Amino acid sequence: MKLTKLLPAAAALTALPAMGFAQEAGVDAASDTIFIFNSLLFLIGGFLVFWMAAGFAMLEAGLVRTKNVAMQLTKNVALFSLAAIFYYLIGYNLMYPLGTWSVDGVLSGVWGVGVLEAVGVARDGADDYGYAATASDFFFQLMFCATTASIVSGTLAERIKLWPFLAFTVVLTAVIYPLQASWKWGGGFLDAAGFLDFAGSTVVHSVGGWAALAGLLVLGPRIGKYKDGRVNPIPGSNLTLATLGTFILWLGWFGFNGASQLAMGTVGDVADVSRIFANTNTAAAGGAIAAMIMTQLLYKKVDLTMVLNGALAGLVSITAEPLTPTLGAATIIGAIGGILVVITVPLLDKLKLDDVVGAIPVHLVCGIWGTIAVVFTNGDASLGTQLYSIVVVGIFTFVVSLVVWFILKALVGIRVSEEDEINGLDKAELGMEAYPEFSKG
Amino acid sequence: MKLTKLLPAAAALTALPAMGFAQEAGVDAASDTIFIFNSLLFLIGGFLVFWMAAGFAMLEAGLVRTKNVAMQLTKNVALFSLAAIFYYLIGYNLMYPLGTWSVDGVLSGVWGVGVLEAVGVARDGADDYGYAATASDFFFQLMFCATTASIVSGTLAERIKLWPFLAFTVVLTAVIYPLQASWKWGGGFLDAAGFLDFAGSTVVHSVGGWAALAGLLVLGPRIGKYKDGRVNPIPGSNLTLATLGTFILWLGWFGFNGASQLAMGTVGDVADVSRIFANTNTAAAGGAIAAMIMTQLLYKKVDLTMVLNGALAGLVSITAEPLTPTLGAATIIGAIGGILVVITVPLLDKLKLDDVVGAIPVHLVCGIWGTIAVVFTNGDASLGTQLYSIVVVGIFTFVVSLVVWFILKALVGIRVSEEDEINGLDKAELGMEAYPEFSKG
Amino acid sequence: MKLTKLLPAAAALTALPAMGFAQEAGVDAASDTIFIFNSLLFLIGGFLVFWMAAGFAMLEAGLVRTKNVAMQLTKNVALFSLAAIFYYLIGYNLMYPLGTWSVDGVLSGVWGVGVLEAVGVARDGADDYGYAATASDFFFQLMFCATTASIVSGTLAERIKLWPFLAFTVVLTAVIYPLQASWKWGGGFLDAAGFLDFAGSTVVHSVGGWAALAGLLVLGPRIGKYKDGRVNPIPGSNLTLATLGTFILWLGWFGFNGASQLAMGTVGDVADVSRIFANTNTAAAGGAIAAMIMTQLLYKKVDLTMVLNGALAGLVSITAEPLTPTLGAATIIGAIGGILVVITVPLLDKLKLDDVVGAIPVHLVCGIWGTIAVVFTNGDASLGTQLYSIVVVGIFTFVVSLVVWFILKALVGIRVSEEDEINGLDKAELGMEAYPEFSKG
């Protein structure tokens, strides 16, 4: 995603060569068209990224044990809903603090017109004529905030309490995500420094990963995962769901990366969106195939979970720069992501970091990799600035998250009792089962 | 959905300020563009609403017991298919009776050109130049008819016979839905009276709910649900499916409400579609969170099924007016929907109304609530007219449905035998199982 | 899909009536708009067809036994990924051999600019100004190639080895599919002969079917399927997944057929895309209902699997010509497809051809039927040319596939050991289970 508020005017201008007065109506029609195309891109991109919320829910429900499935589903529906509300109440105005944020603004946001333009807004009344409808932009940006929150839930599955987890989600989506996102996408200091992160390998994915890592350190591993110096694999209960989730995420990513072009009303913009679609797809393919070959070589057997995470790793890796690579370069960037995941998953286990779904390898490690990889295909990128930004965003997110997790732990506790964990969160916290009729093997 | 046939010309006009003769080609290009954008909105909206058919199928398959899953899936595929065929054969022409409906018309619809425009229609030959392609409109409208039918199947699950249910579906989609829809969207007397129902809280959702309620009264509760004065909860067999279904419906609702703007070829229209997307999303979030908090307060445990129904309740509630509310108002309208569901579900049980998936609380109760809520944010709405229309549509749908259900009961019976119900409809009526290899707990 | 490279200019021209010099900027704006609409059609169509990969995965995972589910999922993710890479490396240039294919081209494709246009390409620099962005076209075409490969995996499920299967996928997507597709869509001799296949009943679906049939003959039936002269039905393990897969495929087909119009920047084009959406939907409905009625008549019970395959059969049947039929004709074409599937499935069993998911009845038989049916509604079609093309494509694909399967069998073997087949491919080849916690009935 480029800088939201500054780009559109430029985009509109390039599409409108000097025209005489006699053609003013034509000019308006043309820039109406650009406005509509850009808004439409946000709407399509937005519903595709919305769909990723379902993808995370299915992926995570497939990778936990049956006794925790209903809880994992509950968390995913609730975190998306909270993100929608708190990003609207606080986050959006915090992220784009162009003189609009104020207590008044938030309050009027709740009960008044809020961030949306007037109904049936006229050309002259549009907030950003030449760019896009404000509500379409808001809708799209909201989905990125929610995605960040989705990343956290998988890592901490199977032992975190519901309400403290949701409390963290509120802080993450209302404050942590929007604040650091404003540094890049809100025109802040990282943007000024030349940091390049097209659709958020760092701003979204690594931030989700850092927040998850902080939570993991406070929360500790699941009972029985590391015992007597050995790592006991805990297989996911439903690999069709995990595969479905991966396909959903892959689909949603076309919106995630593609609509981060933020414009499609000119020949150049729609051609760029098209490049991004093609590159995003091939990076995922590269990640899946690389992970498949790696597991065959290392373990003599293909590991489906790794193939799925390989595809996701490819997607995260290409997210910082899905536009400038060639198809070949995109495939390789994705493939390296897939390899990184296969290498990192056992490393985490050595550190006794029990990441249930592999979100840290996929979103944090490959988020960093993808951000660095920008320098290989985009001449405007500087390795120093990329690394500096990764570190700044990482330290901020990790430290603030750690503090929030500690506060939650001190105030209400974040981990269920040992008995509840063994019996499963579904019975203990929800009093229901995801699959009540299927007997357990 | 505004009045289909009258709006577009107005929309086109506002986009075309007075232009001289010399720019006629430019004018045509601009109104071509409007035509294309509007058609595209219908196509995107249409495929999103199509996707809701899958959402209902998954939601219902997840909320019935395993022994009835294959039957519930069969009903969902079959009802959508029948809706597609009978809305085309009869319903569409009945709904828009602008001098086109006739036996001849239907016959020519089957074997002749039918409702579709000619292949490669030229600007001058288009039925509604300045609006949209006829087939795109048909495609979109059809999906609303099918949605209405989908609502019924969940309520009556686990004991209704396949073929009588499908016979009712035919009557509903060929006659009941189109007739009452014509009163509002076909420019009929409710529209003339000033009734406002943007995307169908009443016209679609409450109609599905009334038809389901009529069926429920004739059909009776499942065996064992109400026994010795107690309500025995019968948990759904697969909550991941139910959650997936809810996410699918949520996604599809962007098309349902958003494309009911019926136009996106002008700045004002696309900004409105964007508002609708944002409001639809936040209403669902409000409904989910409200239901979550309510169940925590009332039952000391969060209930996932209620959270899911809460999100759907929020969606139904915002459907009558997704445009004029602010984000805050939309959230609250949705949240009240979520609260209504949590309150209504046990009330139905007290009345021994055994609604398997909660379709009556979600679609009927919140459909009524949403229709009333229009008056809070849309100055053109009159509470009296809204209530009058709710009652007119309700009485018509309920009475006609009741008559049809009674006729079906008298002619062929609508309920399976007690033995078949206990053994499950899958074995009895289909001779197959949804999950043949999983042993039952 | 019409001939890709020749159509667009014509489409652009019809939209641009003679205009004077003074309106040149307006002309450019208009043809920019066409370029954007066409590219957008490919992007939307492309992501919908991508989604079909998930549909095939779910359908197949639902129709195999639990012991082979993880393997079937692995194959589906891997085959899509390989298709993405090899169609890019070799296939695309082979399919559109308009002077661009060369060793150099492929190599530069990998490491250089490849098939994509420059970033932010200007109007004058676009490969096909007046048509669409090259990357959008590539993205869309790629998905068709991947679909062809998806068809094969279902037929051969539950006994084929992973790596030989993937090796075949590489040959299919790099060479077999692109080569024969170039004969029609690359402007080759079948196109010159007047062969009509709008979106690929023959070019995609029958090709997948022929390749699957060849593999089936070399591979043989599953152990226990045909025993003592009897056919033992082996029911699918999860019919909700199979139903979900069918709905996904149905949804994706709107992109598959609709975007094969290849243009939507004019009134005529968008009206045609709309016709195609409506016809595609009704054909699926016709197929589902026909199969439902047929199974009721033949077996006295509705068969859900047949209903699902009936819907898919309707979709395949309308794919060769989704534009010219009326809604009535489309319904009937689809219904005949549904009937053909119900008739063909037991016929295959009589021939001891063990097609696990019914891909040959659906994609090969109905692919042929659909290709023939073009003559009923499109006056430009010649029965002789249609049959000739079916035979040419069929012989080529079948013979080459057979040779490749035999080579793979001779070199590495394509079938797992008897023990592995009985234990299931998941444990034997992957060392993991799809549903490890569910005990088997």
Side-chain angles (χ1 to χ4, degrees), chain A residues 290-302, chain C residues 163:
Chain A
M292 182 171 71
I293 293 172
M294 281 289 286
T295 54
Q296 178 71 39
L297 294 177
L298 290 177
Y299 307 115
K300 308 301 167 208
K301 294 200 170 180
V302 168
Chain C
W163 289 99

Short mmCIF file of all heavy atoms in Angstrom, two decimals, chain A residues 290-302, chain C residues 163:
data_model
loop_
_atom_site.label_atom_id
_atom_site.label_comp_id
_atom_site.label_asym_id
_atom_site.label_seq_id
_atom_site.Cartn_x
_atom_site.Cartn_y
_atom_site.Cartn_z
N ALA A 290 8.35 -25.26 -2.82
CA ALA A 290 9.62 -25.29 -2.09
C ALA A 290 9.46 -26.04 -0.78
O ALA A 290 10.31 -26.87 -0.41
CB ALA A 290 10.12 -23.87 -1.83
N ALA A 291 8.38 -25.78 -0.06
CA ALA A 291 8.16 -26.47 1.22
C ALA A 291 7.94 -27.96 0.98
O ALA A 291 8.40 -28.80 1.75
CB ALA A 291 6.95 -25.86 1.93
N MET A 292 7.24 -28.29 -0.11
CA MET A 292 7.01 -29.71 -0.41
C MET A 292 8.32 -30.42 -0.68
O MET A 292 8.57 -31.51 -0.13
CB MET A 292 6.07 -29.83 -1.61
CG MET A 292 5.73 -31.26 -1.96
SD MET A 292 4.43 -31.40 -3.22
CE MET A 292 5.32 -30.86 -4.66
N ILE A 293 9.16 -29.83 -1.50
CA ILE A 293 10.45 -30.46 -1.82
C ILE A 293 11.32 -30.54 -0.57
O ILE A 293 11.96 -31.57 -0.30
CB ILE A 293 11.15 -29.68 -2.95
CG1 ILE A 293 10.35 -29.83 -4.25
CG2 ILE A 293 12.59 -30.16 -3.13
CD1 ILE A 293 10.82 -28.96 -5.39
N MET A 294 11.34 -29.46 0.20
CA MET A 294 12.14 -29.45 1.43
C MET A 294 11.75 -30.57 2.39
O MET A 294 12.61 -31.24 2.95
CB MET A 294 11.97 -28.11 2.15
CG MET A 294 12.76 -26.97 1.57
SD MET A 294 14.54 -27.13 1.87
CE MET A 294 14.61 -26.71 3.63
N THR A 295 10.44 -30.74 2.60
CA THR A 295 10.04 -31.78 3.56
C THR A 295 10.36 -33.17 3.01
O THR A 295 10.70 -34.07 3.75
CB THR A 295 8.54 -31.68 3.93
OG1 THR A 295 7.76 -31.69 2.74
CG2 THR A 295 8.25 -30.40 4.69
N GLN A 296 10.23 -33.33 1.68
CA GLN A 296 10.59 -34.60 1.09
C GLN A 296 12.09 -34.89 1.31
O GLN A 296 12.46 -35.99 1.69
CB GLN A 296 10.27 -34.59 -0.41
CG GLN A 296 10.66 -35.87 -1.17
CD GLN A 296 9.77 -37.05 -0.81
OE1 GLN A 296 8.57 -36.90 -0.65
NE2 GLN A 296 10.37 -38.23 -0.69
N LEU A 297 12.90 -33.88 1.11
CA LEU A 297 14.34 -34.06 1.26
C LEU A 297 14.73 -34.28 2.72
O LEU A 297 15.52 -35.17 3.04
CB LEU A 297 15.09 -32.84 0.71
CG LEU A 297 14.97 -32.61 -0.79
CD1 LEU A 297 15.70 -31.32 -1.20
CD2 LEU A 297 15.54 -33.80 -1.57
N LEU A 298 14.16 -33.48 3.61
CA LEU A 298 14.56 -33.55 5.02
C LEU A 298 13.96 -34.73 5.74
O LEU A 298 14.60 -35.37 6.56
CB LEU A 298 14.15 -32.26 5.76
CG LEU A 298 14.90 -30.99 5.40
CD1 LEU A 298 14.31 -29.80 6.15
CD2 LEU A 298 16.39 -31.13 5.74
N TYR A 299 12.66 -35.00 5.47
CA TYR A 299 11.96 -36.01 6.26
C TYR A 299 11.55 -37.23 5.44
O TYR A 299 10.85 -38.11 5.93
CB TYR A 299 10.71 -35.39 6.91
CG TYR A 299 11.02 -34.14 7.70
CD1 TYR A 299 10.53 -32.90 7.32
CD2 TYR A 299 11.85 -34.20 8.82
CE1 TYR A 299 10.83 -31.75 8.03
CE2 TYR A 299 12.16 -33.05 9.54
CZ TYR A 299 11.64 -31.83 9.14
OH TYR A 299 11.95 -30.70 9.84
N LYS A 300 11.90 -37.24 4.16
CA LYS A 300 11.55 -38.35 3.26
C LYS A 300 10.05 -38.50 3.05
O LYS A 300 9.58 -39.48 2.47
CB LYS A 300 12.12 -39.70 3.77
CG LYS A 300 13.60 -39.69 4.08
CD LYS A 300 14.44 -39.30 2.87
CE LYS A 300 15.88 -38.99 3.26
NZ LYS A 300 16.51 -38.03 2.35
N LYS A 301 9.28 -37.59 3.60
CA LYS A 301 7.84 -37.60 3.37
C LYS A 301 7.35 -36.16 3.22
O LYS A 301 7.84 -35.27 3.92
CB LYS A 301 7.09 -38.24 4.55
CG LYS A 301 7.41 -39.71 4.71
CD LYS A 301 6.37 -40.45 5.50
CE LYS A 301 6.66 -41.95 5.37
NZ LYS A 301 5.73 -42.78 6.10
N VAL A 302 6.41 -35.98 2.34
CA VAL A 302 5.82 -34.65 2.20
C VAL A 302 4.93 -34.39 3.40
O VAL A 302 4.24 -35.29 3.87
CB VAL A 302 5.02 -34.55 0.89
CG1 VAL A 302 4.16 -33.30 0.86
CG2 VAL A 302 5.98 -34.57 -0.30
N TRP C 163 4.41 -38.49 -6.39
CA TRP C 163 5.37 -37.83 -7.28
C TRP C 163 5.14 -38.13 -8.74
O TRP C 163 5.23 -37.21 -9.59
CB TRP C 163 6.81 -38.12 -6.83
CG TRP C 163 7.13 -37.41 -5.54
CD1 TRP C 163 7.11 -37.93 -4.28
CD2 TRP C 163 7.43 -36.01 -5.37
NE1 TRP C 163 7.40 -36.96 -3.34
CE2 TRP C 163 7.61 -35.78 -3.98
CE3 TRP C 163 7.58 -34.94 -6.25
CZ2 TRP C 163 7.93 -34.51 -3.46
CZ3 TRP C 163 7.90 -33.69 -5.73
CH2 TRP C 163 8.06 -33.47 -4.37
#
